Amino acid sequence: MQKQLDTLLAKAGISLTDQQKQQLLGYVGLLDKWNKAYNLTSVRDPKEMLVRHILDSIVVDPFLKGDRFIDVGTGPGLPGIPLAIVRPDSHFTLLDSLGKRVRFLRQVQHELKLTNIEPVQSRVEEFPAEPPFDGVISRAFASLQDMISWCHHLPKAETGRFYALKGVRPDDELAQLPSGIELVSVERLHVPTLDGERHLVILKAN
């Protein structure tokens, strides 16, 4: 696993410390262990998790601006936990409405000694953003329209951003953005050995 992670990181041009690599591998180990009972992800093979969960999450790191983020509909902590590991100076609120997922996140927080994450059980539209966040992140969470509708109160005025991790470029959704929302950019992401496209859509409120 260590060797495969090193190879993937090299192909993606990502440099991490040994501690960060061990934390990422530790997270995959916990995800694999808990998945058997909690059904946290449809990906069963830990080696596949390295590509589809770890690399797929951390390739967005260069595009994030700020240091306070909320990962809405985080599920088992994706992309929030891998990003928190590679961005130790940033803070991530991990929001999910399902208790078993939040229990898993707290176990990860405890075992990996992650001081920069805060697992929270709540529906996103009921969660108060005090203070507002630099970035609102979602991965396979909802359409762009739903994300904006449910999360409009979460980012900082003017400087806050929405970051939506998508597969193929969602041109249909981009054509139907609500008024008051501006497209900042669509970034094509490179995830080594992953089949299919990956894009990051960055939006802001006018």
Side-chain angles (χ1 to χ4, degrees):
M1 289 283 283
Q2 171 85 56
K3 194 173 175 185
Q4 187 192 1
L5 179 61
D6 286 340
T7 302
L8 290 167
L9 291 171
K11 284 181 178 173
I14 297 171
S15 177
L16 298 178
T17 66
D18 286 342
Q19 183 190 7
Q20 287 170 317
K21 292 176 190 175
Q22 289 310 311
Q23 285 178 315
L24 290 172
L25 291 169
Y27 171 58
V28 168
L30 287 167
L31 193 51
D32 180 46
K33 178 179 163 187
W34 279 60
N35 202 32
K36 293 173 176 68
Y38 274 49
N39 200 24
L40 297 166
T41 168
S42 60
V43 180
R44 300 291 175 195
D45 179 358
K47 288 187 174 177
E48 207 179 330
M49 289 178 186
L50 284 180
V51 176
R52 292 177 57 184
H53 290 338
I54 302 300
L55 263 290
D56 197 40
S57 294
I58 64 177
V59 290
V60 306
D61 171 39
F63 304 103
L64 301 182
K65 290 184 166 55
D67 54 23
R68 284 186 70 255
F69 300 93
I70 181 166
D71 179 9
V72 294
T74 187
L78 298 165
I81 285 178
L83 284 171
I85 289 170
V86 302
R87 291 176 74 96
D89 296 330
S90 295
H91 186 274
F92 290 81
T93 297
L94 307 178
L95 196 72
D96 203 273
S97 60
L98 212 58
K100 69 176 184 179
R101 293 182 188 141
V102 175
R103 281 194 294 278
F104 169 71
L105 296 174
R106 289 188 179 127
Q107 187 67 24
V108 171
Q109 181 182 31
H110 171 70
E111 293 206 24
L112 299 185
K113 298 179 173 56
L114 293 177
T115 57
N116 62 333
I117 65 169
E118 182 187 0
V120 176
Q121 183 179 352
S122 172
R123 292 170 60 85
V124 63
E125 57 269 40
E126 296 166 0
F127 182 72
E130 297 294 339
F133 294 91
D134 295 314
V136 179
I137 305 171
S138 82
R139 177 181 188 255
F141 167 63
S143 68
L144 295 176
Q145 286 77 5
D146 284 345
M147 182 186 182
I148 291 158
S149 170
W150 296 334
C151 307
H152 62 89
H153 60 297
L154 297 175
K156 281 182 182 172
E158 296 179 17
T159 58
R161 297 286 184 270
F162 295 97
Y163 299 96
L165 282 72
K166 295 285 188 177
V168 296
R169 184 185 165 104
D171 287 318
D172 290 354
E173 294 177 27
L174 291 170
Q176 298 171 34
L177 288 178
S179 60
I181 297 295
E182 181 184 326
L183 175 65
V184 177
S185 64
V186 180
E187 307 291 347
R188 181 148 192 175
L189 303 171
H190 170 57
V191 185
T193 76
L194 185 72
D195 290 334
E197 296 179 15
R198 285 291 185 271
H199 291 86
L200 176 66
V201 178
I202 306 175
L203 306 170
K204 70 171 184 174
N206 290 338

